[in-house]
Amino acid sequence: MIRRLSCAILFTLVATSTQAATLVYNVTGYTMNEGERVQFAALEFEDGVITRLYSNDLEARASKAEERIDGNGAILLPGLIDAHGHVTALGRGLSAVNLVGSTSAADAAARVRAFLADNGNQEWVRGHGWNQVLWPGKQFPHRSSLDALAGKQAVALTRIDGHAMWVNSTALKLADIGPETPDPDGGQIIRDDTGRATGVLIDNAMNLVKAVMPPITDEDMANFALTAMQALASQGITSVHDAGITAQEVRAYQALRRENRMPIRVYAMLKMVDPAIDQYLQQGPLIDEQHMLDIRSVKISADGALGSRGAALFEDYSDMPGQRGLLLVNDEQLDRYMDRSMAAGYQVNVHAIGDKANARVLDFLEQMIARHDNRHLRHRNEHSQIVRLEDISRFAEIGVVASIQPTHATSDKNMAGDRVGEARLAGAYAWRKLLDSGARLAGGSDFPVESINPFYGIHAAVTRQDHQNQPPGGWLPGERLLRNEALSLFTEWAAWAAHQETVIGRLLPGYAADFILVSDDMFTMPAEDLWRNQVLGTWVAGRKVH
Ligand SMILES: [Zn+2]
């Protein structure tokens, strides 16, 4: 049954080029519409905007569209929205050697060799993710295994934790590190028996090499963003909320937008601690007529992460007495950051993981929303991870969006229990409680910390299990979401959190033709397989981007 949207204001999207009317047929189409699931058999769009849905094939046959796309029986869904990710970090990772999971120094070197075969012209080869503890012998690697691969090129590979760097002789030479070079304060140059550097630099000694690496240019940054956006498009993501960008990233996005090279949409949060923030606050929100690049929010970080015990808790960590984490901003800063951002008309999105950080962010948002009378800006709590039970209902009361990342729950499940203990888990990753309290949710992944695959998020939200179906029945299974809700989370609700719910996130006449074709029906397939759904094609504003 097709239910027409009656109350929403339908935006007219101004297309840059006229496009013939196109019919996508032979599909099973789904969209969420204000929490209700709508099914259809074909979709028609023109100039990037949906003009009609057909409820059955017979009706679709009467379509006068000149262009036709045969869906071959695939499932058609709205383009998925990732409400929290780090785009250029993803692109940087994809533009460097991935050493995560390497099984030996030789295996790591082989990955560098394979990378060089495709990227032989890079002056500096970067990589990340090695961990000698997982290698036979657990010894630090040596420059000689890299010297054998790259002659003129400098190679710099950071350890998984970012606290050590493995470099080749060219990099040591460029950094002028010789036997006489002293260890810098807070750093160590690992040396052999003769005093020569072995090629492993610890902590501040890495700065000697970093200082001679070429800085990232605006063009590099644009390439990182583009590489990441293409990867996201390939996984069915048509819009991403970039959770904290600097002026250089703003410039990179604006250049790509000007050149009409953005494959997917970006809704960006400006990093509050970026030195250039004042310029943007003065200028005010940047809202794109076609919503390819909207910059109208600010990102503030209130605390750290749970894994490193940096998340701010009211009571001690259960697995480390005396430790309660750290607030990254004091009251005066939080007040000033929020006040200035809101005065400039920006949405304020605050990272909060620990129960203390969450309570404090809610306190401040409550005061500030009252001060500026701007609940309509839809301020957000990014992560909303460990929340005291008494704070759950405050999201809806104050009008703060809970921006959540379902895969964090399934990745963190064992660690989170260790860190906060049974009692505090009652309000941990508590999506059902938040939803039932009337809170608005938005779904994301926090890539590159987690996979960019949005079906991993949908699977985690529905099952609260990992890909091995653990734990049986799901982790804190009372917090599971229904499949309808999981789709809303990554479509219309994420769009709402970006003020775009009348433009994207639903497939209805007047909405942008942002849609994907996928292999499996997420409403009928076994829940444990939801993460296996494959993306067959991705369209943004009627343009095929993957
Ligand atoms: Zn993040």
Side-chain angles (χ1 to χ4, degrees):
M1 190 198 70
I2 296 179
R3 181 170 161 267
R4 290 287 294 262
L5 188 66
S6 51
C7 55
I9 310 143
L10 299 178
F11 272 51
T12 309
L13 298 179
V14 187
T16 43
S17 61
T18 34
Q19 210 179 29
T22 306
L23 179 79
V24 190
Y25 68 103
N26 195 10
V27 296
T28 301
Y30 295 109
T31 182
M32 295 306 297
N33 181 16
E34 299 188 22
E36 207 174 305
R37 189 165 85 222
V38 178
Q39 189 175 335
F40 52 89
L43 170 154
E44 201 171 279
F45 64 89
E46 198 171 343
D47 295 336
V49 180
I50 298 168
T51 48
R52 194 170 167 184
L53 300 183
Y54 293 94
S55 53
N56 60 57
D57 294 330
L58 202 67
E59 269 183 45
R61 242 171 261 154
S63 164
K64 302 215 161 39
E66 301 102 273
E67 304 280 338
R68 293 186 180 233
I69 298 169
D70 184 349
N72 291 311
I75 306 298
L76 189 151
L77 296 174
L80 298 169
I81 303 171
D82 189 319
H84 186 120
H86 301 276
V87 176
T88 61
L90 173 68
R92 267 181 99 151
L94 294 172
S95 311
V97 192
N98 179 10
L99 300 171
V100 176
S102 53
T103 54
S104 64
D107 176 39
R111 294 187 191 196
V112 175
R113 179 184 295 128
F115 182 87
L116 282 168
D118 296 333
N119 304 274
N121 53 351
Q122 286 189 11
E123 203 183 329
W124 275 82
V125 177
R126 298 166 211 246
H128 176 72
W130 57 272
N131 183 1
Q132 85 287 355
V133 171
L134 306 176
W135 297 347
K138 304 187 198 313
Q139 296 297 307
F140 271 133
H142 197 268
R143 60 183 148 73
S144 56
S145 40
L146 299 177
D147 290 346
L149 308 172
K152 292 194 298 287
Q153 291 156 304
V155 181
L157 313 169
T158 46
R159 193 176 183 276
I160 186 93
D161 62 358
H163 286 284
M165 190 186 263
W166 172 24
V167 300
N168 68 350
S169 294
T170 306
L172 287 173
K173 206 160 123 207
L174 289 169
D176 211 12
I177 298 174
E180 284 80 45
T181 311
D183 285 349
D185 279 346
Q188 189 193 357
I189 300 165
I190 306 279
R191 302 165 201 265
D192 61 20
D193 295 343
T194 68
R196 281 190 69 193
T198 62
V200 172
L201 308 168
I202 310 291
D203 285 321
N204 286 348
M206 300 190 294
N207 295 339
L208 299 169
V209 167
K210 285 182 185 168
V212 296
M213 284 178 147
I216 291 168
T217 64
D218 286 11
E219 198 189 334
D220 293 335
M221 199 58 103
N223 284 330
F224 293 151
L226 198 57
T227 301
M229 287 190 278
Q230 278 155 353
L232 292 165
S234 76
Q235 300 295 314
I237 291 169
T238 54
S239 177
V240 59
H241 301 183
D242 197 337
I245 66 170
T246 62
Q248 191 179 38
E249 291 166 286
V250 173
R251 290 197 300 273
Y253 278 136
Q254 287 178 326
L256 292 171
R257 177 68 184 117
R258 247 189 333 268
E259 295 156 13
N260 204 19
R261 291 167 69 202
M262 290 182 63
I264 65 168
R265 300 170 195 274
V266 171
Y267 180 85
M269 312 176 199
L270 297 168
K271 213 177 247 174
M272 189 69 215
V273 291
D274 185 51
I277 189 77
D278 290 322
Q279 170 199 337
Y280 296 109
L281 292 183
Q282 264 161 31
Q283 201 173 316
L286 300 166
I287 301 170
D288 181 340
E289 213 171 36
Q290 294 173 290
H291 301 285
M292 287 304 296
L293 176 63
D294 283 351
I295 306 176
R296 57 181 304 181
S297 59
V298 164
K299 166 86 180 295
I300 301 170
S301 287
D303 67 346
L306 206 55
S308 53
R309 299 189 188 81
L313 300 177
F314 279 110
E315 304 293 337
D316 291 0
Y317 274 86
S318 300
D319 56 358
M320 192 171 279
Q323 178 67 254
R324 296 184 174 189
L326 266 185
L327 288 165
L328 300 177
V329 279
N330 61 35
D331 287 355
E332 184 273 324
Q333 285 169 314
L334 205 46
D335 187 291
R336 184 158 43 91
Y337 290 166
M338 287 192 185
D339 192 56
R340 289 178 57 217
S341 307
M342 288 191 184
Y346 280 84
Q347 178 192 52
V348 172
N349 302 343
V350 195
H351 162 120
I353 303 267
D355 56 4
K356 185 174 180 185
N358 273 289
R360 200 145 151 286
V361 165
L362 290 169
D363 290 345
F364 271 83
L365 282 174
E366 185 169 16
Q367 287 170 33
M368 290 291 164
I369 291 168
R371 188 187 298 174
H372 293 273
D373 188 21
N374 66 5
R375 190 180 164 123
H376 63 276
L377 288 181
R378 307 176 181 178
H379 306 294
R380 296 165 47 164
N381 178 322
E382 298 298 320
H383 305 306
S384 317
Q385 211 154 285
I386 313 289
V387 182
R388 288 188 305 192
L389 287 179
E390 66 254 49
D391 290 326
I392 297 261
S393 59
R394 297 179 66 201
F395 285 79
E397 282 158 23
I398 303 166
V400 172
V401 179
S403 172
I404 62 163
Q405 298 79 34
T407 42
H408 278 346
T410 46
S411 300
D412 295 356
K413 54 189 182 337
N414 299 326
M415 178 273 286
D418 292 346
R419 295 287 185 276
V420 303
E422 197 66 31
R424 282 181 290 192
L425 282 182
Y429 312 79
W431 314 322
R432 170 57 56 198
K433 288 189 190 80
L434 283 163
L435 197 56
D436 288 350
S437 75
R440 297 266 186 181
L441 305 185
S445 66
D446 207 5
F447 68 77
V449 178
E450 301 280 358
S451 163
I452 58 175
N453 188 328
F455 291 102
Y456 289 12
I458 287 172
H459 169 260
V462 171
T463 66
R464 305 272 294 200
Q465 289 177 323
D466 61 25
H467 295 180
Q468 286 73 47
N469 308 319
Q470 294 302 317
W475 184 62
L476 307 172
E479 301 300 340
R480 282 178 305 196
L481 299 184
L482 302 172
R483 296 184 197 214
N484 275 0
E485 292 164 344
L487 184 55
S488 289
L489 189 64
F490 286 94
T491 58
E492 56 175 352
W493 295 349
W496 196 90
H499 301 272
Q500 295 170 336
E501 77 280 7
T502 57
V503 187
I504 60 171
R506 296 180 182 128
L507 299 175
L508 296 171
Y511 277 78
D514 290 13
F515 61 91
I516 56 175
L517 291 178
V518 298
S519 59
D520 290 277
D521 188 334
M522 64 172 278
F523 296 106
T524 59
M525 70 198 291
E528 64 186 50
D529 291 333
L530 282 168
W531 61 275
R532 297 181 194 267
N533 218 336
Q534 294 294 312
V535 174
L536 308 172
T538 305
W539 284 259
V540 172
R543 191 164 70 95
K544 193 163 195 291
V545 294
H546 171 74

